[in-house]
Amino acid sequence: MKLAVVGGGSTYTPELIDGFARLRDTLPVSELVLIDPAAERLELIGSLARRIFARQDHPAEVTTTADLDAGVAGADAVLLQLRIGGQAARLQDETWPLECGCVGQETTGAGGLAKALRTVPVVLDIAERVRRANPDAWIIDFTNPVGIVTRALLGAGHKAVGLCNVAIGFQRKFAALLDVAPAEVHLDHVGLNHLTWERGVRLGGPDGEDLLPRLLAEHAESIAADLRLPRAVLDRLGAVPSYYLRYFYAHDEVVRELGAKPSRAAEVAAMERELLGLYADPALDEKPALLAERGGAFYSEAAVDLAAALLGDGGSPVQVVNTLNHGTLPFLPDDAVIEVQARVGPAGPVPLPVPRLDPLYAGLVSHVTAYEDLALDAALRGGRERVFKALLAHPLVGQFDLAEGLTDRLLAHNKEHLAWA
């Protein structure tokens, strides 16, 4: 089995390598190609990947290349983990929205739109080249904003599934609180990428006993603390929101916090420099502890599980993925991309039925889906007016003058990445 990782020079990649090495019985990789134009970083990551495989006696061959077409040729699955513009662009995404009193974040709000505009055209070009090289290959997208990027891929007819680590993070946390194996925990996970709620926590399968009421009764304080939300929010919802919901439920508080401390992008950039120094050590043959602070917890396990199920070699039969709605949430268009539990196999994901979504959730999901419609249109066709309309439609913007100011800033900070700007 051959896998290709586009963006293989990312400091995330050793986490993925570690997962491939540990879970080789689930996903028997024989060839792994890391693809990235950043030659120096790629060589560091590639060398470390070989050492990690050797330490764990994994027989797979690891190769590196800057040639995308050669790298994806013959691949059974292609994983996308891109950051167009690097941490410098992320720093901008987190900074200029604050000038307008809006949250500065790389996937949510105006910063998330900027990332989508930079990313979608590049991902679609990569996907078309994958299709030419191997039309049967699956594309697994971990590139943010996952919902919009996955929708672009599926809209263009690609064999693609979007993946996020939020659900697997909750699964692991709830399993620890319940003192059970993570595989025993199934989530009633529903919404859009980075806009989801856990409405049930079931043991043994999708139809198992719901232990969420017990978890909230016994552990609401610690769960709420992890989300940096008041316990009352969980009590009144009777559900556990993704930590990204804090940008909606406590927007003004978050804006004040972000304006008073260094950006996450600056923290990550410093961490990446330290990680690359560690990776250069020829004695290092495992992922360093510092990588856990980089983000993307459990990414490797989720990626291995999904690839194994899609390629027919194993994996969990039910997983949380980003895929087409197709009537699952009846208030959304069929071509919307939702994040829900699905049965996954070689034919792709099929969402499980979702109980009726209360207007408290359905309203926000509908609102953000409308924004994503306009965001994707702007990413595909460009133009200031399309950017403005997407921002005006976003529930965290929604004011004419505010959308105008954000549009001006977005375009000014992204000209080098937007051919039409």
Side-chain angles (χ1 to χ4, degrees):
M1 179 188 298
K2 176 179 177 179
L3 298 185
V5 180
V6 181
S10 168
T11 54
Y12 267 133
T13 301
E15 164 70 25
L16 190 60
I17 301 300
D18 177 73
F20 290 154
R22 287 186 294 104
L23 302 171
R24 70 179 115 180
D25 292 338
T26 302
L27 188 68
V29 179
S30 58
E31 182 180 357
L32 178 65
V33 183
L34 306 180
I35 305 167
D36 204 295
E40 185 175 349
R41 285 173 63 123
L42 185 60
E43 185 51 41
L44 283 179
I45 304 297
S47 296
L48 175 57
R50 296 183 191 100
R51 296 195 299 271
I52 292 174
F53 274 7
R55 176 190 174 97
Q56 301 199 35
D57 198 27
H58 195 296
E61 177 187 10
V62 178
T63 59
T64 60
T65 183
D67 186 335
L68 176 71
D69 299 306
V72 302
D76 297 288
V78 178
L79 283 69
L80 305 183
Q81 52 174 35
L82 311 177
R83 183 178 294 281
I84 307 303
Q87 294 299 329
R90 177 179 180 173
L91 178 61
Q92 296 297 329
D93 294 343
E94 294 179 350
T95 302
W96 54 263
L98 294 174
E99 298 171 2
C100 297
C102 291
V103 65
Q105 210 277 331
E106 62 163 340
T107 65
T108 302
L113 175 60
K115 193 171 195 302
L117 297 178
R118 294 192 303 268
T119 304
V120 165
V122 175
V123 166
L124 287 178
D125 176 67
I126 291 169
E128 190 56 43
R129 292 162 70 178
V130 170
R131 180 156 54 188
R132 288 199 301 267
N134 184 7
D136 293 326
W138 277 102
I139 295 175
I140 297 174
D141 178 60
F142 196 69
T143 297
N144 282 318
V146 167
I148 295 173
V149 172
T150 302
R151 188 167 181 179
L153 288 165
L154 292 171
H158 297 290
K159 289 179 62 178
V161 184
L163 180 63
C164 181
N165 70 322
V166 167
I168 195 172
F170 275 128
Q171 181 196 44
R172 297 310 195 261
K173 179 175 179 60
F174 296 152
L177 293 175
L178 294 168
D179 194 24
V180 300
E184 289 296 305
V185 174
H186 292 257
L187 304 175
D188 290 351
H189 180 101
V190 63
L192 310 176
N193 179 241
H194 290 186
L195 195 85
T196 53
W197 298 263
E198 312 306 329
R199 298 196 298 165
V201 179
R202 303 182 184 276
L203 286 189
D207 299 319
E209 179 187 3
D210 182 11
L211 297 184
L212 180 58
R214 171 183 155 188
L215 282 167
L216 291 177
E218 297 178 1
H219 303 287
E221 288 288 351
S222 67
I223 296 170
D226 285 348
L227 301 173
R228 301 189 63 204
L229 287 168
R231 172 179 176 159
V233 174
L234 276 63
D235 291 338
R236 297 176 75 173
L237 291 178
V240 178
S242 149
Y243 50 83
Y244 287 92
L245 265 298
R246 187 167 185 260
Y247 298 120
F248 295 82
Y249 292 162
H251 176 270
D252 293 352
E253 178 183 353
V254 171
V255 168
R256 288 192 294 271
E257 290 175 0
L258 293 175
K261 65 178 185 179
S263 72
R264 175 61 177 165
E267 294 175 356
V268 170
M271 198 179 303
E272 286 197 332
R273 290 191 291 271
E274 187 174 353
L275 283 169
L276 290 170
L278 293 173
Y279 295 167
D281 180 357
L284 183 68
D285 58 3
E286 61 184 344
K287 66 176 183 179
L290 179 62
L291 188 55
E293 300 176 28
R294 171 67 178 81
F298 309 114
Y299 161 40
S300 63
E301 295 177 33
V304 166
D305 211 18
L306 179 55
L310 291 171
L311 299 176
D313 287 302
S316 304
V318 175
Q319 301 181 33
V320 173
V321 297
N322 285 261
T323 191
L324 291 173
N325 179 41
H326 281 321
T328 307
L329 300 180
F331 56 89
L332 294 184
D334 283 348
D335 64 351
V337 164
I338 59 175
E339 187 172 292
V340 294
Q341 285 200 108
R343 295 200 179 276
V344 183
V350 178
L352 297 183
V354 173
R356 178 182 177 272
L357 208 57
D358 185 278
L360 179 63
Y361 312 108
L364 186 54
V365 168
S366 296
H367 197 159
V368 175
T369 297
Y371 150 74
E372 290 187 349
D373 286 346
L374 295 166
L376 181 56
D377 186 46
L380 294 174
R381 299 201 289 163
R384 185 188 189 282
E385 189 66 11
R386 293 187 181 93
V387 174
F388 167 78
K389 287 180 178 178
L391 288 167
L392 187 63
H394 199 291
L396 296 182
V397 181
Q399 300 179 61
F400 188 91
D401 289 344
L402 191 53
E404 286 280 22
L406 288 167
T407 299
D408 289 340
R409 286 168 172 79
L410 186 156
L411 296 178
H413 287 287
N414 287 276
K415 282 185 177 180
E416 66 179 296
H417 301 292
L418 306 176
W420 48 267

